[in-house]
Amino acid sequence: MAVVAGLALLAAFPPYGVWPLAPVGVALLAAAAHRRRLRAGAGLGFLTGVAFFAPLLAWTNLHTGYLPWVLLSLLQAGYLALLGAASAWVSPLAERSRWAWPALTGLLWVGQEALRDRTPFGGFPWGRLAFSQDSSPLLRLAALGGAPLVTFAVAVAGGLLLTAAWRRTGDPQPGGPARRWLPVAVPAAAAVALCAASLLVPVATGGAGAPVTVAIVQGNVPRLGLDFNAQRQAVLNNHVDATLELAARVTAGSQTQPDLVVWPENSSDIDPLRNPTAGARISQAADAVKAPILVGAVLLGPGAGQVRNAGILWHPGTGADMAQLYTKRHPVPFAEYVPLRDVARMVSKQVDLIRSDFVPGTTPGVVRAGPAVLGDVICFEVAYDEVVRDTVTGGAQLLVVQTNNATFDVAEARQQMAMVRLRAVEHGRPALMASTVGVSGFVSPDGRVSDATGFNTREVVVRQLRLDDGRTLATRLGWWPEAALAGLAVAALAGAAVLRRRERTTPG
């Protein structure tokens, strides 16, 4: 049952996208761990975690070998082991009232994700239940309480399914057949009603501001894999050439003049601020298209042996705008920097492939690009609630995710696009994802994807957007919904401890 739970959770996520299986996976894990000893609950949760995370994160082993994938999968499975133990621990509360089961399940899942999203080294939020619901009615709940509320709703639905299915040996079956089916029908109907009621949550459909035309340039790379960096001049040339082709179509009248062009992360791994040739090529593209370009660049410094993963605005005629520069605030540990390098080297000498540690930025990615204020986040940062929210509270009207998927595969890209969809609904903002190799595309404030590109292709997509300055309830509340739900999870664990103590001291 625990293994099937993990596989059901896996199937709920892209590229499979069978979102109703997420509550099913939640229910199966809760059932497997119910009444178990803590070690057994932890072991069952760990099995679920391995069955879920190992295939979900399989894209991490495509070019780095098996060791990073195995270690990351086992680490993430460890958090589901904690969830399994916690589910076993609160069994007495569920035994006292079967209707407590849905709330307990929802609270424990939010608490587990709150911990996993932050630890260790800043956490790894990939695989949150909320990110499986990009095509679900529950996605609309993100406008009220962000990803934590969506996760809570998915887990509550799973708890309701478990409440409907669970039967204790010797339970009385009063009344006729209709009465006997009530304990099944009512919670099952409540799970369906929860999803249906989510459709009533209002979400933004488009901004009221002036229209802005935005182009995404997906230049592609010579070949997929870690050595795309060795081809950095070719990658830059690909994005320049694709932009020049866009400019030619604009001049010919077959394409609308863009107000802004967005290039992806790593579109210029040659520092254009220090390399005149790279800077000249970007200026050539900006001058030709007659619009500012948000360039994803690797910048040297500020210190020796340090680099920055940045988004920098490049204007036609004047070049780099140093006032509109965003440095990635959440570099990926063991990919963009190596914590505890000496210890990590004892596990794998591959850590020395990362010769220079990326330095984190300190300010939100609010980039003022002419007619639009951008909320720029880079790659995996889209998974972190506060990194995205900080741009919106800073004035962002359009969410921009610059990413490089050249070292992964299409499954990872689609999982990332699901996160962009949630962020658009959460903050009531149009959004876009610009990737070196795909998938790139636009997302409306209600979560719909437009002009999605293929994977490992060179494409340019242009779309007119209407921006918005409003704030959703989720934006205004920030981290409070998660804090409240996680606090209640701790209270449930404490309540279970009290109940267990009473049961041990009660005679007979």
Side-chain angles (χ1 to χ4, degrees):
M1 193 179 291
V3 171
V4 173
L7 297 177
L9 291 171
L10 171 68
F13 283 79
Y16 313 105
V18 189
W19 62 264
L21 288 178
V24 173
V26 168
L28 288 170
L29 174 57
H34 187 60
R35 292 178 178 165
R36 302 288 178 180
R37 294 181 183 274
L38 292 186
R39 279 191 297 178
L44 291 167
F46 187 75
L47 285 176
T48 298
V50 171
F52 171 43
F53 283 111
L56 182 77
L57 303 176
W59 42 265
T60 61
N61 75 21
L62 294 178
H63 305 289
T64 60
Y66 287 102
L67 185 60
W69 165 60
V70 170
L71 292 178
L72 180 60
S73 299
L74 293 179
L75 174 64
Q76 300 307 301
Y79 288 91
L80 289 196
L82 293 176
L83 176 64
S87 299
W89 180 255
V90 301
S91 294
L93 292 177
E95 289 286 312
R96 291 198 109 188
S97 172
R98 67 198 307 262
W99 285 102
W101 223 333
L104 288 171
T105 305
L107 294 174
L108 293 181
W109 268 93
V110 173
Q112 173 266 139
E113 288 189 358
L115 183 64
R116 188 167 67 86
D117 297 352
R118 293 167 174 82
T119 60
F121 308 115
F124 186 68
W126 217 271
R128 297 168 76 178
L129 288 182
F131 296 151
S132 69
Q133 302 298 296
D134 58 316
S135 301
S136 161
L138 296 176
L139 181 69
R140 301 171 76 94
L141 294 175
L144 302 180
L149 183 60
V150 178
T151 285
F152 179 72
V154 174
V156 165
L160 287 167
L161 294 179
L162 180 55
T163 303
W166 188 265
R167 283 289 182 276
R168 292 186 296 183
T169 304
D171 273 356
Q173 303 292 330
R179 290 291 300 274
R180 288 196 294 269
W181 276 104
L182 276 178
V184 176
V186 172
V192 175
L194 175 62
C195 293
S198 301
L199 293 171
L200 302 177
V201 176
V203 295
T205 56
V212 174
T213 302
V214 182
I216 300 173
V217 174
Q218 178 180 302
N220 209 3
V221 300
R223 56 181 176 269
L224 299 175
L226 288 177
D227 65 344
F228 83 93
N229 263 328
Q231 304 294 314
R232 56 188 185 273
Q233 183 64 60
V235 174
L236 173 58
N237 288 340
N238 283 356
H239 287 85
V240 170
D241 293 344
T243 306
L244 294 176
E245 292 167 7
L246 168 64
R249 292 196 296 273
V250 171
T251 301
S254 60
Q255 183 61 264
T256 306
Q257 169 67 50
D259 299 300
L260 170 70
V261 177
V262 179
W263 287 6
E265 176 191 27
N266 296 123
S267 50
S268 180
D269 272 358
I270 305 171
D271 185 345
L273 303 180
R274 301 196 184 204
N275 186 299
T277 302
R281 288 243 65 193
I282 298 172
S283 291
Q284 179 189 6
D287 293 346
V289 80
K290 297 181 177 62
I293 302 174
L294 182 65
V295 179
V298 173
L299 306 179
L300 301 178
Q306 294 179 328
V307 289
R308 290 167 289 164
N309 192 347
I312 182 170
L313 198 65
W314 208 277
H315 291 282
T318 58
D321 185 347
M322 298 304 295
Q324 306 303 324
L325 168 67
Y326 169 61
T327 299
K328 187 176 183 179
R329 297 166 65 193
H330 205 299
V332 180
F334 304 103
E336 292 179 310
Y337 76 100
V338 182
L340 308 173
R341 186 179 286 266
D342 291 339
V343 176
R345 189 180 291 115
M346 290 188 288
V347 178
S348 173
K349 292 184 178 180
Q350 285 190 330
V351 298
D352 289 326
L353 293 175
I354 305 168
R355 298 182 180 89
S356 300
D357 287 336
F358 281 79
V359 178
T362 57
T363 57
V366 179
V367 178
R368 289 167 173 79
V373 182
L374 311 181
D376 188 20
V377 296
I378 297 177
C379 200
F380 287 6
E381 287 188 319
V382 69
Y384 296 89
D385 296 344
E386 289 305 309
V387 174
V388 180
R389 179 178 178 269
D390 285 349
T391 69
V392 178
T393 57
Q397 302 165 308
L398 169 64
L399 299 178
V400 173
V401 180
Q402 294 178 288
T403 187
N404 171 31
N405 308 108
T407 57
F408 305 126
D409 63 11
V410 68
E412 184 272 348
R414 289 179 179 171
Q415 290 163 18
Q416 202 168 28
M417 180 61 83
M419 301 177 197
V420 180
R421 297 178 71 176
L422 182 139
R423 298 307 181 195
V425 174
E426 179 180 17
H427 298 294
R429 294 288 189 275
L432 65 86
M433 186 163 91
S435 170
T436 47
V437 298
V439 176
S440 304
F442 295 94
V443 180
S444 62
D446 60 1
R448 290 176 297 169
V449 179
S450 303
D451 303 310
T453 64
F455 190 76
N456 198 19
T457 60
R458 182 163 126 179
E459 298 186 48
V460 175
V461 289
V462 182
R463 191 167 187 85
Q464 188 180 84
L465 309 172
R466 285 191 177 273
L467 308 180
D468 202 338
D469 294 307
R471 294 190 181 185
T472 64
L473 181 61
T475 305
R476 292 194 292 270
L477 291 176
W479 54 270
W480 281 107
E482 183 179 47
L485 293 170
L488 289 172
V490 173
L493 294 172
V498 172
L499 189 57
R500 283 172 172 271
R501 188 178 300 112
R502 288 178 180 173
E503 290 177 348
R504 284 198 302 267
T505 57
T506 301

